[in-house]
Amino acid sequence: VAQRALKIFVYPVPNKFTTDLLDEPDGILRATMQELQKQKFDGGLEILFHRFLLQDKTGVTTSDPEAADLFFVPFYASSSTKIKVLIKAKLYEELKQWAKAFGPYWNRYGGHDHVL
């Protein structure tokens, strides 16, 4: 019996949860993957992972949420130094509500198949 490959759906979240939170979004967005991987910066893993999924050449991502095994919800709050912890927590809750409203996927397993 052949096993089906893991599929990840990347939510198309509004910029307010990603690039709008960054101190210097243009620099990070223009950087190559190699440049980002060489940098040592706190909280940048979600940016690297998001970029990896958007540039996927392995076939792990899917544009069909019905075919997904896992769901990635991009959230760059840990990479931001310009917002306070309480605001990050509020944005996190707002993002969860956005994901719940996007479709039935969050509610199927209470978000347990989602990575934020």
Side-chain angles (χ1 to χ4, degrees):
V1 175
Q3 290 186 344
R4 185 175 72 82
L6 177 76
K7 292 293 182 184
I8 301 173
F9 176 78
V10 179
Y11 275 87
V13 301
N15 288 345
K16 72 181 281 182
F17 300 114
T18 58
T19 54
D20 288 356
L21 299 177
L22 300 176
D23 300 329
E24 297 180 37
D26 291 338
I28 289 176
L29 296 178
R30 281 196 303 257
T32 66
M33 287 297 283
Q34 291 79 15
E35 290 169 335
L36 287 173
Q37 289 167 347
K38 288 179 186 175
Q39 291 181 8
K40 297 190 186 308
F41 54 93
D42 294 331
L45 185 58
E46 68 269 18
I47 297 170
L48 286 173
F49 189 62
H50 189 201
R51 292 269 305 265
F52 168 78
L53 291 175
L54 292 177
Q55 298 173 4
D56 178 35
K57 293 175 177 57
T58 65
V60 73
T61 58
T62 179
S63 59
D64 178 9
E66 291 293 328
D69 302 298
L70 294 172
F71 296 82
F72 180 66
V73 187
F75 187 46
Y76 294 0
S78 67
S79 295
S80 177
T81 58
K82 67 181 184 179
I83 59 173
K84 298 187 183 319
V85 173
L86 290 176
I87 295 172
K88 289 179 185 183
K90 183 177 184 259
L91 281 171
Y92 175 79
E93 290 303 319
E94 190 178 330
L95 179 57
K96 280 182 21 183
Q97 293 305 316
W98 182 91
K100 288 177 184 180
F102 183 84
Y105 314 106
W106 180 281
N107 295 322
R108 286 192 299 200
Y109 302 109
H112 292 286
D113 54 355
H114 283 61
V115 178
L116 277 123

